[in-house]
Amino acid sequence: MAGAARPGGPGPRRRLLLLLGAAAVSLVGAQVTSETREVPEHQPADIPCAAFRSGWSSPRIEWKFQKGSSLVLFYYGGELTEPYKNRVQFSPTTIRFSTVTRADTGKYICEVVGDGSQIAKSEVNLIVQVPPSKPLAHVPASATIGSRAVLRCAETDGSPPPTFRWYRDGALMPADPKTSPTFRNSSYTLDPATGELIFEPLSGFDTGDYSCEANNNVGSPQKSDVVRMEASEVNVGGIVAAVVVLLMVLALVAFGVWFAYSRGFFRKRKE
């Protein structure tokens, strides 16, 4: 019947899961080496298999690629899997990419099994270097003095992830405002890893033109557009005026109801 699995054996997806599971069990207790390599995007990259032992007889070599929770076979059964066949050259000691892209960032796992119980494993964390793009500064146009104000700097292309700096009126904001005469009247925290700048509480001194910068030491640092934030007092006069207007409206409604009752509009008609 079309689409049915062939009798006598598991389907392709189940066979792949069985292979990965069996490999994971067999490598328990194996010696593992690990290293990190950084390569610019669109450049060739060599990833060594430190687990390979030239003295082992007829070793079986497998490569896997792990990105987040995803784990796929890279080299198995003596051949490269799709889509690596046209991009990668294999040798027992190394795999070589003709060119890498940001999608190739991840962990490359080489597993070598010799005769008997000989097992070795090596890992290479590949970071494909990508310069940051122009970040986006999320800055409120206005915020109330005494409140909590959060400014965010966002950038999604840089690899490795960039760190962030903030500027007010063109001046670099230090991590600790108390160390600078320019910013000592401000109260804020700055997280270079996330790009968050939090004022708590906001003061009148915090009004200004804000911009942020992303940098990962790959290419040139990138700056956002400038966005102005106004720190303003609570508009007490406006609140009082609104309350007065509301009371007047309620008084008019109450008068209208009284007038209607006094004229008998709400009385039941007698038959």
Side-chain angles (χ1 to χ4, degrees):
M1 202 165 36
R6 289 182 299 175
R13 179 176 175 82
R14 180 166 176 79
R15 284 200 300 272
L16 176 59
L17 293 174
L18 288 172
L19 287 169
L20 292 174
V25 172
S26 66
L27 284 164
V28 173
Q31 183 178 1
V32 180
T33 62
S34 181
E35 65 172 291
T36 297
R37 293 198 170 193
E38 296 192 12
V39 180
E41 191 174 31
H42 308 308
Q43 295 296 314
D46 291 331
I47 302 178
C49 178
F52 179 75
R53 304 290 188 269
S54 59
W56 289 6
S57 176
S58 303
R60 186 178 80 245
I61 303 173
E62 296 177 6
W63 280 91
K64 298 182 180 71
F65 174 59
Q66 183 175 359
K67 193 180 186 75
S69 60
S70 172
L71 181 67
V72 299
L73 282 170
F74 188 98
Y75 178 86
Y76 176 76
E79 64 178 6
L80 292 160
T81 60
E82 296 290 352
Y84 302 104
K85 288 184 177 180
N86 299 323
R87 300 182 55 222
V88 176
Q89 295 177 341
F90 170 83
S91 74
T93 59
T94 310
I95 55 173
R96 179 179 176 83
F97 281 87
S98 57
T99 180
V100 289
T101 69
R102 62 196 69 189
D104 296 318
T105 292
K107 181 185 291 184
Y108 293 82
I109 305 167
C110 179
E111 299 171 353
V112 182
V113 180
D115 290 341
S117 59
Q118 295 170 309
I119 300 172
K121 176 179 178 181
S122 61
E123 300 176 348
V124 176
N125 293 302
L126 178 65
I127 298 174
V128 178
Q129 298 175 331
V130 181
S133 57
K134 182 178 180 178
L136 181 63
H138 298 275
V139 180
S142 64
T144 303
I145 292 174
S147 68
R148 184 175 187 264
V150 180
L151 285 64
R152 294 184 175 88
C153 190
E155 194 283 329
T156 56
D157 292 327
S159 176
T163 56
F164 300 94
R165 300 196 298 183
W166 280 91
Y167 295 82
R168 187 182 75 196
D169 298 330
L172 177 64
M173 301 179 69
D176 183 359
K178 305 309 177 187
T179 62
S180 169
T182 305
F183 298 96
R184 63 186 177 190
N185 291 319
S186 295
S187 180
Y188 64 78
T189 57
L190 197 162
D191 190 334
T194 64
E196 276 197 346
L197 173 62
I198 302 176
F199 292 93
E200 193 169 13
L202 189 74
S203 73
F205 297 99
D206 298 322
T207 289
D209 296 324
Y210 288 84
S211 63
C212 64
E213 179 183 82
N215 182 27
N216 65 353
N217 296 319
V218 180
S220 302
Q222 297 293 314
K223 266 191 175 183
S224 72
D225 291 331
V226 174
V227 183
R228 186 165 184 81
M229 181 179 73
E230 294 285 347
S232 57
E233 296 279 1
V234 176
N235 189 355
V236 178
I239 295 175
V240 171
V243 171
V244 170
V245 170
L246 178 60
L247 291 174
M248 292 177 64
V249 170
L250 292 175
L252 287 174
V253 171
F255 175 78
V257 172
W258 172 82
F259 183 80
Y261 267 111
S262 66
R263 295 295 180 178
F265 290 110
F266 294 111
R267 295 173 185 171
K268 292 182 179 180
R269 293 182 178 178
K270 295 181 181 181
E271 296 183 0

